[in-house]
């Protein structure tokens, strides 16, 4: 009676299996799973039923459950080649390439000509190699190479959270935050308590300078895994960075620029990987240096800021102003052009126009410099300067010098006269100061005579003459 009952169960189980096969062939894997389960319930010692259900679970992407069925199938029948293949495939899909290799080797021991086992063994070996290379490249901070290796490994191990997390972490370190967030979010949808994924979410926020939110994710990760070293370090860095930056900002607002400089410098030493925050710290320190009138240092800091973040408008504006203050107008124009191309505001347009005007003015002769006076010099100061420079460079004073010196002094004498002609005339001075072309109203500087200006200034038709009063000494007298 018992024998007949078992035989009946066996026939019914086979019927369920056949129906499962039919649904599997139609790619209706959920129904196939149901019928294979019925077959197992009827006959729980049949290795092929577990093997078939494992195959179905694999098609549904449920590799961990599939692994359990595949392992049960080979426990029931150690000679079940397809069972070993499926166990190996599950291990590989979950990222355990070493265990996968052992399964495929076992399959090859049972059937050394099995081409699937041969290929899968090669795939598992390749994943082991990608893991090894990725580990070395991570140590070298070659994060692009790590992403490449993980992409290749994930082709064979699509369900491996470990590979996905490593890829996401490297994407974050490369500044590819949306991609990193997407990978971490996918994992958290399947496992909301995954500490690694929580860490990566926090890392992205941390590197995007959302430090407070980042700390929340790091703390959550540490709740799930108190020994998570990376989350612990990142949390500590985030808190330290936030505190130092805030202290630096307070010192700056209080006018304590030396302390602000020190605090920003200390903050920059906390985490070289935090590009966005460090860009802001460099710009802040550049602002401090500008306040301290260390303009070259300010320019260097702003340059470091835009190297880290080439979209950082504030750093370009700060550097451009420093270039203006140091009369490096071409560089200032370049920075203001970059700013205006990015943000076409009236203010940025005016800043660009001002820089372009100063650049244009800088390419002309600097009459104030020629006379040795400030740009706000009074009329009397301009006259005194002309008197001094004209006498210093008058050709008669250098009549005994070499031809080369005479030529140079004559040139300077002419430039002094030219400068005085412009700066002593209010209308011409206004046009010169505003950057307008002096030739537009017939002010052709090539037409004037420096000697006539000199005579008109000093008076007397006979002019004056230099006479030696001793070696290297001259005095002048009017005729």
């Amino acid at each position: 009676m018992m024998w007949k009952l078992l035989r009946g169960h066996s026939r019914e189980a086979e019927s369920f299996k056949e129906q499962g096969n039919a649904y599997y062939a139609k790619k209706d894997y959920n129904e196939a799973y149901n019928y294979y389960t019925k077959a197992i319930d009827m006959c729980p010692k049949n290795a092929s039923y577990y093997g078939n259900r494992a195959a179905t679970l694999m098609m549904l992407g449920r590799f961990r459950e599939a692994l359990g069925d595949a392992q049960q199938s080979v426990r029931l029948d150690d000679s079940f080649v397809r069972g070993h293949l499926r166990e190996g495939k599950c291990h590989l899909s979950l990222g355990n390439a070493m265990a996968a290799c052992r399964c495929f080797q076992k399959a090859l021991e049972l059937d050394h000509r099995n081409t699937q086992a041969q290929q899968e063994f090669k795939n598992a070996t390749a994943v082991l190699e990608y893991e090894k290379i990725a580990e070395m490249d991570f140590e070298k901070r070659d994060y692009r190479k790590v992403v490449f290796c993980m992409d290749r490994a994930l082709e064979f191990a699509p369900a491996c959270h470990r590979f996905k997390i490593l890829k996401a972490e490297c994407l974050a370190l490369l500044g590819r935050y949306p991609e990193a967030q997407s990978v971490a979010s996918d994992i958290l949808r399947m496992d909301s308590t995954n500490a690694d994924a929580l860490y990566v979410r926090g890392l992205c926020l941390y590197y995007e300078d959302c430090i407070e939110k980042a700390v929340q994710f790091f703390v959550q990760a540490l709740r799930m895994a108190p020994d998570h070293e990376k989350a612990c370090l990142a949390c500590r860095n985030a808190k330290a960075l936030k505190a130092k930056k805030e202290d630096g900002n307070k010192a700056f607002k209080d006018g304590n620029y030396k302390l602000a400089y020190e605090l920003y410098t200390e903050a920059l030493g906390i985490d070289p990987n935090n590009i966005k925050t460090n860009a802001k710290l460099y710009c802040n320190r550049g602002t401090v240096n500008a306040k301290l009138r260390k303009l070259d240092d300010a320019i260097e800091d702003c340059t470091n800021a835009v190297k880290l973040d080439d979209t950082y408008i504030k750093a370009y504006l700060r550097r451009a102003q420093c270039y203006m203050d140091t009369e490096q107008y071409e560089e200032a124009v370049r920075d203001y052009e970059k700013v205006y191309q990015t943000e076409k505001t009236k203010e940025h347009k005016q800043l660009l126009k001002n820089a372009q005007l100063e650049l244009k003015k800088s390419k002309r002769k600097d009459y104030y410099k020629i006379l040795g006076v400030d740009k706000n010099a009074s009329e009397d100061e301009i006259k005194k300067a002309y008197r001094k420079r004209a006498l210093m460079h008058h050709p008669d004073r250098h009549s005994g010098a070499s031809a080369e010196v005479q030529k140079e002094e004559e040139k300077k004498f002419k430039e002094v006269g030219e400068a005085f002609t412009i700066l002593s005339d209010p209308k011409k001075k206004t046009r010169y100061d505003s950057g307008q072309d002096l030739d537009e109203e017939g002010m052709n500087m090539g037409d004037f005579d420096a000697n006539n200006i000199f005579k008109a200034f000093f008076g007397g038709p006979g002019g004056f003459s230099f006479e030696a009063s001793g070696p290297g000494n001259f005095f002048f007298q009017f005729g």
Side-chain angles (χ1 to χ4, degrees):
M1 181 69 95
M2 183 61 71
W3 178 78
K4 286 184 179 179
L5 184 64
L6 290 172
R7 192 173 176 186
H9 281 180
S10 180
R11 280 201 299 267
E12 195 172 355
E14 275 297 305
S15 174
F16 286 140
K17 186 193 86 168
E18 292 302 326
Q19 289 178 77
N21 289 349
Y23 281 113
Y24 188 94
K26 288 191 277 188
K27 297 185 180 179
D28 188 345
Y29 301 117
N30 285 310
E31 277 302 307
Y33 172 83
N34 291 334
Y35 278 99
Y36 290 140
T37 300
K38 289 177 182 179
I40 289 169
D41 290 342
M42 295 297 296
C43 196
K45 299 294 183 183
N46 189 304
S48 68
Y49 296 168
Y50 285 100
N52 286 6
R53 191 169 72 173
T56 303
L57 287 166
M58 289 167 69
M59 296 307 294
L60 290 168
R62 293 156 60 180
F63 292 100
R64 206 160 291 283
E65 295 171 74
L67 177 61
D69 275 355
Q71 288 173 327
Q72 179 62 12
S73 76
V74 296
R75 272 195 292 268
L76 292 169
D77 181 2
D78 190 50
S79 65
F80 185 27
V81 174
R82 278 186 293 177
H84 289 293
L85 283 171
R86 284 167 186 155
E87 182 188 356
K89 188 71 174 171
C90 289
H91 277 308
L92 185 56
S93 296
L94 292 165
N96 191 345
M98 189 68 75
C101 282
R102 287 196 292 269
C103 294
F104 298 136
Q105 282 175 325
K106 179 66 176 177
L108 287 168
E109 286 171 16
L110 294 167
D111 178 7
H112 69 276
R113 292 183 178 177
N114 191 300
T115 55
Q116 185 185 354
Q118 291 169 358
Q119 184 57 53
E120 293 293 358
F121 183 79
K122 286 180 183 177
N123 294 345
T125 304
V127 169
L128 285 173
E129 186 63 22
Y130 286 131
E131 281 190 81
K132 183 181 174 182
I133 295 169
E135 186 179 347
M136 290 189 294
D137 286 329
F138 191 88
E139 289 295 318
K140 293 186 219 171
R141 297 190 175 191
D142 189 349
Y143 302 124
R144 282 186 179 80
K145 189 80 174 288
V146 178
V147 171
F148 172 82
C149 287
M150 289 302 95
D151 278 338
R152 300 291 79 74
L154 283 163
E155 290 174 7
F156 304 115
C160 181
H161 286 182
R162 186 164 49 88
F163 293 170
K164 289 178 181 179
I165 288 294
L166 180 56
K167 174 185 174 180
E169 184 179 359
C170 290
L171 287 169
L173 291 166
L174 289 167
R176 292 159 63 178
Y177 308 118
E179 294 171 75
Q181 289 270 31
S182 177
V183 175
S185 296
D186 285 346
I187 293 171
L188 287 170
R189 272 194 289 273
M190 292 181 278
D191 178 9
S192 62
T193 64
N194 188 297
D196 291 324
L198 289 167
Y199 158 70
V200 169
R201 284 291 304 276
L203 197 65
C204 290
L205 290 165
Y206 171 62
Y207 286 145
E208 289 183 289
D209 201 38
C210 301
I211 294 179
E212 283 188 39
K213 286 184 180 179
V215 169
Q216 292 173 11
F217 275 96
F218 295 144
V219 169
Q220 199 176 344
L222 288 167
R223 279 202 205 102
M224 301 301 148
D227 296 328
H228 199 294
E229 290 183 9
K230 288 182 178 180
C232 186
L233 177 62
C235 192
R236 190 164 61 243
N237 283 346
K239 288 178 178 178
L241 204 51
K242 182 174 180 287
K244 286 287 182 190
K245 186 182 176 187
E246 287 176 353
D247 289 347
N249 292 347
K250 184 178 184 302
F252 181 82
K253 285 177 185 175
D254 292 344
N256 192 341
Y257 301 130
K258 185 179 178 184
L259 178 59
Y261 178 90
E262 290 171 359
L263 288 165
Y264 289 140
T265 301
E266 287 172 17
L268 282 164
I270 291 172
D271 184 2
N273 288 321
N274 196 322
I275 290 169
K276 283 216 168 183
T277 303
N278 287 345
K280 290 181 180 180
L281 288 168
Y282 271 120
C283 187
N284 288 359
R285 196 174 73 175
T287 304
V288 171
N289 276 322
K291 288 286 186 183
L292 294 169
R293 303 311 295 167
K294 296 180 178 178
L295 297 177
D296 288 341
D297 290 343
I299 289 169
E300 184 179 350
D301 276 340
C302 292
T303 299
N304 284 329
V306 297
K307 279 180 181 176
L308 292 176
D309 181 1
D310 64 359
T311 65
Y312 193 14
I313 296 299
K314 188 177 177 182
Y316 283 109
L317 287 169
R318 168 59 55 198
R319 186 172 70 175
Q321 184 57 57
C322 291
Y323 280 140
M324 292 289 286
D325 292 342
T326 52
E327 299 183 1
Q328 299 179 67
Y329 300 121
E330 287 188 8
E331 290 82 355
V333 166
R334 187 176 63 240
D335 276 355
Y336 283 133
E337 282 176 341
K338 170 79 174 178
V339 169
Y340 185 61
Q341 285 167 6
T342 307
E343 293 181 2
K344 288 183 164 57
T345 66
K346 287 183 179 179
E347 181 187 357
H348 294 160
K349 186 176 183 180
Q350 189 58 50
L351 287 169
L352 175 57
K353 284 181 72 176
N354 292 345
Q356 288 170 331
L357 176 61
E358 290 303 320
L359 175 60
K360 180 182 176 183
K361 287 161 68 174
S362 72
K363 291 184 181 296
R364 307 174 309 173
K365 288 180 182 177
D366 187 341
Y367 291 139
Y368 291 102
K369 189 174 181 180
I370 288 169
L371 288 183
V373 295
D374 187 76
K375 290 183 179 179
N376 298 315
S378 65
E379 187 178 343
D380 282 344
E381 286 171 331
I382 289 170
K383 284 181 179 179
K384 285 178 184 177
Y386 172 67
R387 175 188 292 275
K388 179 183 175 182
R389 298 287 171 125
L391 293 173
M392 185 187 301
H393 299 298
H394 194 282
D396 287 356
R397 183 169 189 147
H398 304 280
S399 57
S402 66
E404 187 179 344
V405 171
Q406 286 186 39
K407 185 176 180 182
E408 183 61 27
E409 292 299 328
E410 187 177 350
K411 178 187 174 187
K412 289 179 179 177
F413 178 68
K414 184 177 180 182
E415 285 180 341
V416 167
E418 187 178 321
F420 180 68
T421 300
I422 299 302
L423 300 183
S424 62
D425 184 311
K427 184 179 178 182
K428 292 177 182 177
K429 184 176 183 294
T430 300
R431 289 181 64 81
Y432 175 76
D433 288 342
S434 65
Q436 297 179 62
D437 291 327
L438 298 174
D439 291 341
E440 285 181 7
E441 292 190 5
M443 302 178 192
N444 189 337
M445 302 316 297
D447 295 340
F448 85 101
D449 188 324
N451 286 309
N452 288 340
I453 295 167
F454 185 88
K455 288 174 184 176
F457 183 86
F458 286 101
F464 77 97
S465 64
F466 285 95
E467 292 185 6
S469 60
N473 297 313
F474 292 86
F475 67 90
F476 68 92
Q477 61 179 27
F478 292 99

